[in-house]
Each structure stands twice: as structure tokens, then as C-alpha cells.
Amino acid sequence: MRSAWRGVTTTPKRSAPSHLPAKRLLKLKEMFYSKFGSIPKFYVRAPGRVNLIGEHIDYCGYSVLPMAVEQDMLIAAEPVKTHTIQLANTNPLYPDFSTSVNNIQIDKTKPLWHNYFLCGFKGIQEHFGLSNLTGMNCLVDGNIPPSSGLSSSSALVCCAGLVTLTALGMNLSKVELAEICAKSERYIGTEGGGMDQSISFLAEEGTAKLIEFSPLRATNVKLPSGAVFVIANSCVEMNKAATSHFNIRVMECRLAAKLLAKNKGLLWGEVLRLEEVQAKLGVSLEEMLLVIEDALHPEPYNPEEICSCLGISLEKLRTQILSPNTQDEILELSLSHPRCCFFRQHVFDQGTSALTLSPSPSSPADLLPFSNLEDQEWKRGANRSAHLQTLPAGKACVQ
């Protein structure tokens, strides 16, 4: 049997990771045989994540501090000679699905579970410019609570990308995979920034990761031995692909970046992220906050005012700047969220520096000020499940 990390520049494991119970793998193997009449050739795992500091700033280009959780997506896979993808799920709530590899259709209006797999598949397919790919049988088993804020959807996209890469026998680095999967998840309509996919591939046991973008890189932020992080379950679900709520926040920040760039005489047309404006201006975060306070008024902007400021038509705003699921819903935009982004980024820098300078507090209680930095953001968050340890990402199991 092959390791699913065969397609990645890392050393494969020749046995199942200890955090994957043998009973779970055996049950998955038996269900696969019952469904497809054969045994899987390899298994792929991608974990969910929790973010410690840096909520809603990755899509602004700013750094985040997530860590992987033990809950994950696990896929048993078998390449087949046909050109058909057959997908099944151990959860009976998610129906079987099949499609031709040459007819990948992702419906943005219906974020069904199989569409996330197709995102990962299509991302690898388009990266290599391939057609007529080999088909595959895949059985998905996930224990990340869905729509919970723990990145079950991104974990599935990452798993699918790695399954496809492995089935093709091709090679990419973890960083390349993370970037491809971050881009390909946007096929389903969400305009995410890349944190979820990055930590799913780059996480390591016992450490959080400082994730930075442009270029993507990850730095260990060592967690104290014995520390316990508890993420409470609010029992509120939020499927960010099913509503426009998430993308509205992204669009607020994108428009703020364009308005700032225009106000400062920069070429605003290609600007997408606030960090790009800061870099072009060559100012600090503290100075950037002053720039925002000076350039953007606190009252909501309506589309007509934005068009007037940018010198564009309403049609161009809708079709060339806004995402499809925000084009007809945004009647006015509050640009107060970009202000919060800069506050959180400042807090993030300070919190990360504190962890770096004091990597081994004498007790978990020493982390309380750090974990409370974004208390209000956590209170607004969706469902969170209990998590007691960090675990490595993307390990493959071989029988």
C-alpha cells in the first residue's frame, strides 16, 4: 500500500498514526468494501483547526495564529480505470454522489458536501492543466462538527486535493498544496483568506503556527507543556457558503482597501487586501489605523457613495468587485469591520510576541490573558467543540 504523503515532499509513515484508532480504520475499510466491493489503496487525513488570535484578518492579508485539532476528515480511496468519481460518506445524512472527471460542476448556490470534495479535485486538476484524469472511489469519514467554525469544509477540500494528488502519483510541497486548496475552495463561493487550508497541511504536534501570507510561511509558536484549550460548543451552526454573511465581511474589507488606495493616490484597481495598501504606503499598523480613521468615515457607505469615490458605475461595482452572493444583497456597507481588523492585528502581534518571549509559562493559567484577547469575537462565533490537544496535519495511513 502507498502512503498518501507519497505526493508531498515529506517522509511517509508506514503505519497508522497513533491518534487514528485502529477500530476506526478497520470500520472504514469494511464500509469501503461493502460500498465498492474492493479495499482502499490508501487513506488521507486532514484535521480541523481552531484559531487562537487573528479572527477575520487572513483575507485582509494579515497573520493568524491557529492550531490543528484532533477532529479530522479521513478519506479511504482507490484509483479506478474508469473516468468516474464515486463519493460516499459514512454519515447517512450525506448522500452518495458520482460524476465524470471531465464534467466537474460546482453549484455555488447549493453548498452540498460533495462540492467541497470537487473543489479540491478541481484545484489539482487545473494546477497541472490535466484532462481525462483517472477516476476514483472515495469513502469520507469526518468527526469535525459541521458548520461549527472548526473548518470541516476546508479539511474536506484539503483531503480531496491530497487524494487527487496521490491518485495521480504527482508531487507538490505542503505549502503548494495549501495555496492550491485555499484558492480552489473559492469555487464554492466563499472568499476565504487561506488560514484554514494552511494549518490543515502545515500543523505540527505540540505547537500553534504563526501563519503569514505573501509568501505563505508558517513559524512554530510553542505551546506550554500540559496546556489545555477548551473551545465551548454554543450549538449554533453557521454554514458560511450557504449565506452571504462571511463574504459581506470580506467585501467590506476589500472595498475599504480600494477606497484607501484611491484616497492615497495608489493604483486601486488590482488591490484586494488591506495589507497590500499598508505595504504600498510603507507604514506601521499603528500608522495604518490613523490612515483609516482619516480616510473612512464611521457611518455606513451606500453603493452610490462607493461608486462616486472610486469613479465607477454601479454595474462595475456589482460585477467586477463584489462576490456573486453579495451583489444583490448589499444595500449599504459598514466599513467599521476594517477598523476592527487593524485593532485585532495589533493585538495579535502583541499576543504572539508574548508567547514567543515566554514559550513555557509555569501553568496554563498564565495563558488566560492571551486567550481573552479576542473574547468578544469568540462570543460571536459559531459552534465550537471541545479540544484538548494539538495534533499533526495530513498524515496518511497505510495498511
Side-chain angles (χ1 to χ4, degrees):
M1 294 294 179
R2 292 179 294 163
S3 163
W5 277 113
R6 177 176 176 271
V8 184
T9 53
T10 186
T11 303
K13 293 218 174 206
R14 298 309 302 173
S15 60
S18 59
H19 53 273
L20 280 178
K23 287 184 179 180
R24 183 183 176 195
L25 289 172
L26 180 59
K27 182 179 179 181
L28 190 61
K29 176 182 176 181
E30 291 173 346
M31 291 184 69
F32 189 98
Y33 184 82
S34 175
K35 173 65 67 175
F36 300 114
S38 56
I39 61 173
K41 296 298 187 294
F42 59 88
Y43 302 85
V44 166
R45 172 185 181 263
R49 66 97 185 100
V50 64
N51 191 28
L52 300 180
I53 286 185
E55 294 293 324
H56 289 278
I57 60 175
D58 58 331
Y59 53 71
C60 295
Y62 288 108
S63 310
V64 288
L65 186 69
M67 63 182 181
V69 297
E70 60 183 351
Q71 289 82 5
D72 59 25
M73 285 290 174
L74 182 64
I75 297 181
E78 175 194 26
V80 294
K81 294 181 179 180
T82 68
H83 297 294
T84 300
I85 298 174
Q86 294 195 83
L87 302 177
N89 200 302
T90 59
N91 188 332
L93 293 177
Y94 303 119
D96 294 356
F97 175 81
S98 65
T99 187
S100 166
V101 297
N102 296 314
N103 186 35
I104 302 300
Q105 302 290 328
I106 300 173
D107 187 351
K108 293 183 179 181
T109 66
K110 297 178 180 179
L112 302 174
W113 79 273
H114 63 260
N115 282 328
Y116 292 98
F117 185 98
L118 297 182
C119 284
F121 179 90
K122 185 176 179 180
I124 297 299
Q125 181 185 41
E126 293 194 347
H127 176 79
F128 290 106
L130 301 175
S131 60
N132 237 20
L133 274 68
T134 182
M136 60 183 79
N137 297 331
C138 295
L139 178 60
V140 177
D141 180 58
N143 57 18
I144 307 171
S147 303
S148 67
L150 295 176
S151 295
S152 59
S153 56
S154 294
L156 180 52
V157 173
C158 291
C159 246
L162 186 52
V163 164
T164 307
L165 189 74
T166 304
L168 294 173
M170 305 188 81
N171 296 282
L172 288 171
S173 70
K174 293 182 182 181
V175 167
E176 289 172 316
L177 267 170
E179 291 178 325
I180 291 169
C181 289
K183 179 181 178 181
S184 65
E185 189 166 337
R186 295 171 192 148
Y187 293 139
I188 209 166
T190 53
E191 298 286 335
M195 171 182 68
D196 301 347
Q197 301 82 5
S198 298
I199 192 62
S200 194
F201 281 115
L202 302 176
E204 295 181 46
E205 188 170 6
T207 180
K209 289 282 186 176
L210 169 60
I211 305 289
E212 300 172 272
F213 303 96
S214 301
L216 175 61
R217 55 204 184 278
T219 305
N220 288 349
V221 177
K222 189 68 176 178
L223 300 172
S225 177
V228 174
F229 293 83
V230 177
I231 300 91
N233 188 340
S234 69
C235 298
V236 176
E237 293 189 355
M238 173 60 75
N239 185 331
K240 62 185 181 183
T243 72
S244 61
H245 302 318
F246 179 84
N247 277 358
I248 285 176
R249 278 194 165 191
V250 180
M251 294 304 108
E252 287 176 348
C253 292
R254 181 173 298 177
L255 286 169
K258 290 181 179 295
L259 289 171
L260 285 173
K262 179 69 179 294
N263 182 271
K264 295 301 176 182
L266 303 175
L267 296 176
W268 62 269
E270 300 301 318
V271 169
L272 296 177
R273 301 176 181 86
L274 289 162
E275 187 277 335
E276 297 173 38
V277 180
Q278 182 191 345
K280 292 178 184 295
L281 294 177
V283 298
S284 67
L285 283 167
E286 291 80 3
E287 292 168 329
M288 189 64 176
L289 186 56
L290 295 176
V291 170
I292 288 181
E293 295 290 347
D294 178 65
L296 303 179
H297 60 67
E299 297 79 22
Y301 285 69
N302 60 43
E304 289 73 21
E305 183 179 6
I306 292 171
C307 291
S308 176
C309 291
L310 296 178
I312 60 174
S313 66
L314 187 59
E315 182 65 16
K316 183 173 181 179
L317 171 66
R318 292 181 67 257
T319 60
Q320 297 186 28
I321 297 179
L322 298 179
S323 66
N325 70 339
T326 62
Q327 290 176 1
D328 298 319
E329 294 192 25
I330 294 180
L331 300 178
E332 63 178 24
L333 285 171
S334 172
L335 299 188
S336 60
H337 180 62
R339 299 164 187 264
C340 297
C341 284
F342 280 93
F343 171 75
R344 277 196 291 271
Q345 178 64 15
H346 175 72
V347 171
F348 169 77
D349 282 348
Q350 299 305 309
T352 303
S353 297
L355 274 185
T356 303
L357 292 172
S358 303
S360 300
S362 58
S363 71
D366 293 340
L367 283 179
L368 288 178
F370 171 73
S371 62
N372 285 335
L373 287 174
E374 291 197 357
D375 182 59
Q376 293 304 313
E377 186 68 38
W378 284 100
K379 287 179 180 177
R380 291 195 300 270
N383 190 28
R384 309 285 181 176
S385 66
H387 159 57
L388 297 181
Q389 67 181 120
T390 59
L391 290 165
K395 298 299 183 185
C397 315
V398 181
Q399 295 174 319

mmCIF file of all heavy atoms in Angstrom, residues 250-283:
data_model
loop_
_atom_site.group_PDB
_atom_site.id
_atom_site.type_symbol
_atom_site.label_atom_id
_atom_site.label_comp_id
_atom_site.label_asym_id
_atom_site.label_seq_id
_atom_site.Cartn_x
_atom_site.Cartn_y
_atom_site.Cartn_z
ATOM 1 N N VAL A 250 -15.812 40.083 3.987
ATOM 2 C CA VAL A 250 -14.671 40.137 3.072
ATOM 3 C C VAL A 250 -14.811 41.330 2.131
ATOM 4 O O VAL A 250 -13.848 42.063 1.880
ATOM 5 C CB VAL A 250 -14.550 38.834 2.261
ATOM 6 C CG1 VAL A 250 -13.357 38.904 1.311
ATOM 7 C CG2 VAL A 250 -14.404 37.632 3.192
ATOM 8 N N MET A 251 -16.028 41.531 1.607
ATOM 9 C CA MET A 251 -16.253 42.636 0.673
ATOM 10 C C MET A 251 -16.084 43.988 1.355
ATOM 11 O O MET A 251 -15.595 44.947 0.750
ATOM 12 C CB MET A 251 -17.648 42.533 0.052
ATOM 13 C CG MET A 251 -17.853 41.325 -0.857
ATOM 14 S SD MET A 251 -16.650 41.226 -2.218
ATOM 15 C CE MET A 251 -15.653 39.838 -1.670
ATOM 16 N N GLU A 252 -16.483 44.091 2.616
ATOM 17 C CA GLU A 252 -16.273 45.337 3.366
ATOM 18 C C GLU A 252 -14.788 45.686 3.410
ATOM 19 O O GLU A 252 -14.399 46.839 3.166
ATOM 20 C CB GLU A 252 -16.821 45.192 4.785
ATOM 21 C CG GLU A 252 -18.332 45.203 4.867
ATOM 22 C CD GLU A 252 -18.842 44.956 6.279
ATOM 23 O OE1 GLU A 252 -18.047 44.558 7.154
ATOM 24 O OE2 GLU A 252 -20.037 45.171 6.518
ATOM 25 N N CYS A 253 -13.990 44.685 3.711
ATOM 26 C CA CYS A 253 -12.548 44.927 3.803
ATOM 27 C C CYS A 253 -11.942 45.190 2.429
ATOM 28 O O CYS A 253 -11.028 46.006 2.293
ATOM 29 C CB CYS A 253 -11.861 43.743 4.482
ATOM 30 S SG CYS A 253 -12.283 43.575 6.220
ATOM 31 N N ARG A 254 -12.435 44.497 1.420
ATOM 32 C CA ARG A 254 -11.924 44.708 0.063
ATOM 33 C C ARG A 254 -12.238 46.123 -0.416
ATOM 34 O O ARG A 254 -11.378 46.804 -0.995
ATOM 35 C CB ARG A 254 -12.529 43.673 -0.886
ATOM 36 C CG ARG A 254 -12.035 43.786 -2.317
ATOM 37 C CD ARG A 254 -12.536 42.626 -3.157
ATOM 38 N NE ARG A 254 -12.031 41.356 -2.649
ATOM 39 C CZ ARG A 254 -12.361 40.163 -3.154
ATOM 40 N NH1 ARG A 254 -13.179 40.101 -4.191
ATOM 41 N NH2 ARG A 254 -11.864 39.062 -2.631
ATOM 42 N N LEU A 255 -13.459 46.575 -0.171
ATOM 43 C CA LEU A 255 -13.835 47.924 -0.577
ATOM 44 C C LEU A 255 -13.069 48.978 0.224
ATOM 45 O O LEU A 255 -12.681 50.016 -0.313
ATOM 46 C CB LEU A 255 -15.341 48.121 -0.416
ATOM 47 C CG LEU A 255 -16.198 47.408 -1.466
ATOM 48 C CD1 LEU A 255 -17.659 47.429 -1.066
ATOM 49 C CD2 LEU A 255 -16.007 48.044 -2.834
ATOM 50 N N ALA A 256 -12.859 48.700 1.518
ATOM 51 C CA ALA A 256 -12.066 49.626 2.332
ATOM 52 C C ALA A 256 -10.660 49.760 1.764
ATOM 53 O O ALA A 256 -10.107 50.870 1.690
ATOM 54 C CB ALA A 256 -12.006 49.139 3.776
ATOM 55 N N ALA A 257 -10.078 48.629 1.341
ATOM 56 C CA ALA A 257 -8.734 48.661 0.764
ATOM 57 C C ALA A 257 -8.710 49.492 -0.518
ATOM 58 O O ALA A 257 -7.785 50.284 -0.744
ATOM 59 C CB ALA A 257 -8.249 47.235 0.486
ATOM 60 N N LYS A 258 -9.732 49.336 -1.345
ATOM 61 C CA LYS A 258 -9.775 50.086 -2.601
ATOM 62 C C LYS A 258 -9.998 51.583 -2.343
ATOM 63 O O LYS A 258 -9.378 52.437 -2.998
ATOM 64 C CB LYS A 258 -10.877 49.525 -3.497
ATOM 65 C CG LYS A 258 -10.546 48.123 -4.042
ATOM 66 C CD LYS A 258 -11.633 47.609 -4.952
ATOM 67 C CE LYS A 258 -11.279 46.232 -5.511
ATOM 68 N NZ LYS A 258 -10.098 46.255 -6.399
ATOM 69 N N LEU A 259 -10.875 51.895 -1.393
ATOM 70 C CA LEU A 259 -11.112 53.299 -1.071
ATOM 71 C C LEU A 259 -9.863 53.958 -0.491
ATOM 72 O O LEU A 259 -9.539 55.106 -0.822
ATOM 73 C CB LEU A 259 -12.281 53.416 -0.087
ATOM 74 C CG LEU A 259 -13.674 53.106 -0.653
ATOM 75 C CD1 LEU A 259 -14.695 53.047 0.475
ATOM 76 C CD2 LEU A 259 -14.082 54.133 -1.693
ATOM 77 N N LEU A 260 -9.155 53.226 0.371
ATOM 78 C CA LEU A 260 -7.914 53.761 0.944
ATOM 79 C C LEU A 260 -6.870 53.984 -0.146
ATOM 80 O O LEU A 260 -6.182 55.013 -0.170
ATOM 81 C CB LEU A 260 -7.371 52.802 2.000
ATOM 82 C CG LEU A 260 -8.085 52.781 3.346
ATOM 83 C CD1 LEU A 260 -7.537 51.652 4.208
ATOM 84 C CD2 LEU A 260 -7.932 54.110 4.072
ATOM 85 N N ALA A 261 -6.740 52.989 -1.032
ATOM 86 C CA ALA A 261 -5.755 53.102 -2.106
ATOM 87 C C ALA A 261 -6.068 54.302 -2.996
ATOM 88 O O ALA A 261 -5.177 55.076 -3.366
ATOM 89 C CB ALA A 261 -5.729 51.814 -2.927
ATOM 90 N N LYS A 262 -7.344 54.474 -3.333
ATOM 91 C CA LYS A 262 -7.747 55.612 -4.169
ATOM 92 C C LYS A 262 -7.477 56.930 -3.436
ATOM 93 O O LYS A 262 -6.962 57.898 -4.025
ATOM 94 C CB LYS A 262 -9.238 55.487 -4.507
ATOM 95 C CG LYS A 262 -9.791 56.640 -5.369
ATOM 96 C CD LYS A 262 -9.221 56.593 -6.775
ATOM 97 C CE LYS A 262 -9.782 57.711 -7.655
ATOM 98 N NZ LYS A 262 -11.212 57.582 -7.914
ATOM 99 N N ASN A 263 -7.799 56.976 -2.149
ATOM 100 C CA ASN A 263 -7.604 58.184 -1.349
ATOM 101 C C ASN A 263 -6.138 58.587 -1.278
ATOM 102 O O ASN A 263 -5.811 59.782 -1.238
ATOM 103 C CB ASN A 263 -8.166 57.951 0.055
ATOM 104 C CG ASN A 263 -8.045 59.163 0.955
ATOM 105 O OD1 ASN A 263 -7.033 59.330 1.640
ATOM 106 N ND2 ASN A 263 -9.069 60.003 0.963
ATOM 107 N N LYS A 264 -5.242 57.590 -1.298
ATOM 108 C CA LYS A 264 -3.806 57.863 -1.172
ATOM 109 C C LYS A 264 -3.092 57.915 -2.520
ATOM 110 O O LYS A 264 -1.860 57.914 -2.579
ATOM 111 C CB LYS A 264 -3.152 56.804 -0.276
ATOM 112 C CG LYS A 264 -3.653 56.849 1.171
ATOM 113 C CD LYS A 264 -3.395 58.212 1.800
ATOM 114 C CE LYS A 264 -3.962 58.318 3.195
ATOM 115 N NZ LYS A 264 -3.750 59.674 3.771
ATOM 116 N N GLY A 265 -3.859 57.946 -3.593
ATOM 117 C CA GLY A 265 -3.258 58.086 -4.910
ATOM 118 C C GLY A 265 -2.591 56.842 -5.439
ATOM 119 O O GLY A 265 -1.736 56.916 -6.333
ATOM 120 N N LEU A 266 -2.974 55.668 -4.910
ATOM 121 C CA LEU A 266 -2.402 54.407 -5.377
ATOM 122 C C LEU A 266 -3.258 53.828 -6.499
ATOM 123 O O LEU A 266 -4.410 54.216 -6.683
ATOM 124 C CB LEU A 266 -2.329 53.406 -4.213
ATOM 125 C CG LEU A 266 -1.539 53.844 -2.978
ATOM 126 C CD1 LEU A 266 -1.671 52.800 -1.875
ATOM 127 C CD2 LEU A 266 -0.075 54.076 -3.319
ATOM 128 N N LEU A 267 -2.691 52.902 -7.251
ATOM 129 C CA LEU A 267 -3.453 52.189 -8.279
ATOM 130 C C LEU A 267 -4.362 51.187 -7.572
ATOM 131 O O LEU A 267 -3.934 50.105 -7.170
ATOM 132 C CB LEU A 267 -2.494 51.483 -9.249
ATOM 133 C CG LEU A 267 -1.582 52.401 -10.070
ATOM 134 C CD1 LEU A 267 -0.610 51.572 -10.905
ATOM 135 C CD2 LEU A 267 -2.406 53.321 -10.967
ATOM 136 N N TRP A 268 -5.615 51.551 -7.417
ATOM 137 C CA TRP A 268 -6.520 50.784 -6.566
ATOM 138 C C TRP A 268 -7.187 49.607 -7.278
ATOM 139 O O TRP A 268 -7.726 48.711 -6.633
ATOM 140 C CB TRP A 268 -7.606 51.700 -6.016
ATOM 141 C CG TRP A 268 -8.478 52.322 -7.070
ATOM 142 C CD1 TRP A 268 -8.294 53.505 -7.701
ATOM 143 C CD2 TRP A 268 -9.667 51.752 -7.629
ATOM 144 N NE1 TRP A 268 -9.291 53.731 -8.620
ATOM 145 C CE2 TRP A 268 -10.154 52.675 -8.594
ATOM 146 C CE3 TRP A 268 -10.370 50.567 -7.414
ATOM 147 C CZ2 TRP A 268 -11.303 52.428 -9.342
ATOM 148 C CZ3 TRP A 268 -11.516 50.331 -8.154
ATOM 149 C CH2 TRP A 268 -11.974 51.251 -9.104
ATOM 150 N N GLY A 269 -7.156 49.576 -8.588
ATOM 151 C CA GLY A 269 -7.911 48.591 -9.341
ATOM 152 C C GLY A 269 -7.594 47.149 -8.996
ATOM 153 O O GLY A 269 -8.488 46.309 -8.916
ATOM 154 N N GLU A 270 -6.303 46.852 -8.777
ATOM 155 C CA GLU A 270 -5.906 45.473 -8.504
ATOM 156 C C GLU A 270 -5.789 45.182 -7.011
ATOM 157 O O GLU A 270 -5.476 44.058 -6.615
ATOM 158 C CB GLU A 270 -4.558 45.173 -9.179
ATOM 159 C CG GLU A 270 -4.580 45.337 -10.702
ATOM 160 C CD GLU A 270 -5.591 44.428 -11.366
ATOM 161 O OE1 GLU A 270 -5.684 43.254 -10.954
ATOM 162 O OE2 GLU A 270 -6.308 44.893 -12.272
ATOM 163 N N VAL A 271 -6.017 46.186 -6.174
ATOM 164 C CA VAL A 271 -5.882 45.998 -4.726
ATOM 165 C C VAL A 271 -7.052 45.177 -4.197
ATOM 166 O O VAL A 271 -8.213 45.468 -4.489
ATOM 167 C CB VAL A 271 -5.826 47.364 -3.999
ATOM 168 C CG1 VAL A 271 -5.954 47.169 -2.491
ATOM 169 C CG2 VAL A 271 -4.527 48.077 -4.330
ATOM 170 N N LEU A 272 -6.748 44.141 -3.417
ATOM 171 C CA LEU A 272 -7.777 43.301 -2.823
ATOM 172 C C LEU A 272 -7.721 43.286 -1.299
ATOM 173 O O LEU A 272 -8.732 43.033 -0.650
ATOM 174 C CB LEU A 272 -7.647 41.859 -3.338
ATOM 175 C CG LEU A 272 -7.872 41.623 -4.836
ATOM 176 C CD1 LEU A 272 -7.619 40.161 -5.174
ATOM 177 C CD2 LEU A 272 -9.284 42.030 -5.245
ATOM 178 N N ARG A 273 -6.545 43.535 -0.727
ATOM 179 C CA ARG A 273 -6.372 43.350 0.714
ATOM 180 C C ARG A 273 -5.806 44.607 1.374
ATOM 181 O O ARG A 273 -5.012 45.331 0.783
ATOM 182 C CB ARG A 273 -5.446 42.162 0.987
ATOM 183 C CG ARG A 273 -5.951 40.853 0.408
ATOM 184 C CD ARG A 273 -4.967 39.725 0.619
ATOM 185 N NE ARG A 273 -5.453 38.490 0.029
ATOM 186 C CZ ARG A 273 -5.268 38.147 -1.240
ATOM 187 N NH1 ARG A 273 -4.591 38.946 -2.050
ATOM 188 N NH2 ARG A 273 -5.745 37.007 -1.707
ATOM 189 N N LEU A 274 -6.203 44.806 2.609
ATOM 190 C CA LEU A 274 -5.724 45.947 3.375
ATOM 191 C C LEU A 274 -4.216 45.911 3.562
ATOM 192 O O LEU A 274 -3.550 46.952 3.553
ATOM 193 C CB LEU A 274 -6.423 45.986 4.738
ATOM 194 C CG LEU A 274 -7.903 46.385 4.692
ATOM 195 C CD1 LEU A 274 -8.593 45.972 5.977
ATOM 196 C CD2 LEU A 274 -8.054 47.874 4.458
ATOM 197 N N GLU A 275 -3.649 44.721 3.714
ATOM 198 C CA GLU A 275 -2.202 44.601 3.900
ATOM 199 C C GLU A 275 -1.448 45.123 2.689
ATOM 200 O O GLU A 275 -0.351 45.674 2.826
ATOM 201 C CB GLU A 275 -1.835 43.135 4.184
ATOM 202 C CG GLU A 275 -0.385 42.907 4.568
ATOM 203 C CD GLU A 275 0.548 42.798 3.365
ATOM 204 O OE1 GLU A 275 0.044 42.423 2.274
ATOM 205 O OE2 GLU A 275 1.751 43.098 3.522
ATOM 206 N N GLU A 276 -2.023 44.954 1.491
ATOM 207 C CA GLU A 276 -1.388 45.465 0.283
ATOM 208 C C GLU A 276 -1.272 46.982 0.343
ATOM 209 O O GLU A 276 -0.250 47.548 -0.062
ATOM 210 C CB GLU A 276 -2.199 45.056 -0.946
ATOM 211 C CG GLU A 276 -2.291 43.558 -1.185
ATOM 212 C CD GLU A 276 -3.254 43.231 -2.305
ATOM 213 O OE1 GLU A 276 -3.299 43.991 -3.300
ATOM 214 O OE2 GLU A 276 -3.996 42.234 -2.190
ATOM 215 N N VAL A 277 -2.314 47.644 0.844
ATOM 216 C CA VAL A 277 -2.287 49.108 0.956
ATOM 217 C C VAL A 277 -1.240 49.537 1.970
ATOM 218 O O VAL A 277 -0.452 50.458 1.725
ATOM 219 C CB VAL A 277 -3.674 49.644 1.361
ATOM 220 C CG1 VAL A 277 -3.640 51.168 1.480
ATOM 221 C CG2 VAL A 277 -4.733 49.212 0.350
ATOM 222 N N GLN A 278 -1.203 48.849 3.095
ATOM 223 C CA GLN A 278 -0.214 49.181 4.113
ATOM 224 C C GLN A 278 1.201 49.031 3.572
ATOM 225 O O GLN A 278 2.073 49.883 3.795
ATOM 226 C CB GLN A 278 -0.390 48.291 5.349
ATOM 227 C CG GLN A 278 0.586 48.628 6.463
ATOM 228 C CD GLN A 278 0.592 47.603 7.579
ATOM 229 O OE1 GLN A 278 -0.320 46.781 7.666
ATOM 230 N NE2 GLN A 278 1.600 47.651 8.423
ATOM 231 N N ALA A 279 1.441 47.945 2.839
ATOM 232 C CA ALA A 279 2.774 47.706 2.279
ATOM 233 C C ALA A 279 3.152 48.795 1.276
ATOM 234 O O ALA A 279 4.296 49.277 1.261
ATOM 235 C CB ALA A 279 2.825 46.329 1.622
ATOM 236 N N LYS A 280 2.196 49.185 0.431
ATOM 237 C CA LYS A 280 2.485 50.221 -0.562
ATOM 238 C C LYS A 280 2.741 51.580 0.084
ATOM 239 O O LYS A 280 3.549 52.374 -0.405
ATOM 240 C CB LYS A 280 1.325 50.321 -1.560
ATOM 241 C CG LYS A 280 1.185 49.106 -2.464
ATOM 242 C CD LYS A 280 -0.010 49.258 -3.392
ATOM 243 C CE LYS A 280 -0.226 48.010 -4.243
ATOM 244 N NZ LYS A 280 0.894 47.771 -5.172
ATOM 245 N N LEU A 281 2.062 51.849 1.203
ATOM 246 C CA LEU A 281 2.258 53.106 1.907
ATOM 247 C C LEU A 281 3.508 53.081 2.783
ATOM 248 O O LEU A 281 4.034 54.135 3.155
ATOM 249 C CB LEU A 281 1.035 53.433 2.775
ATOM 250 C CG LEU A 281 -0.266 53.733 2.032
ATOM 251 C CD1 LEU A 281 -1.395 53.971 3.020
ATOM 252 C CD2 LEU A 281 -0.102 54.946 1.112
ATOM 253 N N GLY A 282 3.970 51.877 3.129
ATOM 254 C CA GLY A 282 5.164 51.748 3.960
ATOM 255 C C GLY A 282 4.977 52.272 5.365
ATOM 256 O O GLY A 282 5.875 52.901 5.936
ATOM 257 N N VAL A 283 3.793 51.988 5.962
ATOM 258 C CA VAL A 283 3.503 52.489 7.308
ATOM 259 C C VAL A 283 3.316 51.321 8.266
ATOM 260 O O VAL A 283 3.099 50.179 7.846
ATOM 261 C CB VAL A 283 2.237 53.379 7.301
ATOM 262 C CG1 VAL A 283 2.454 54.606 6.424
ATOM 263 C CG2 VAL A 283 1.014 52.594 6.836
#
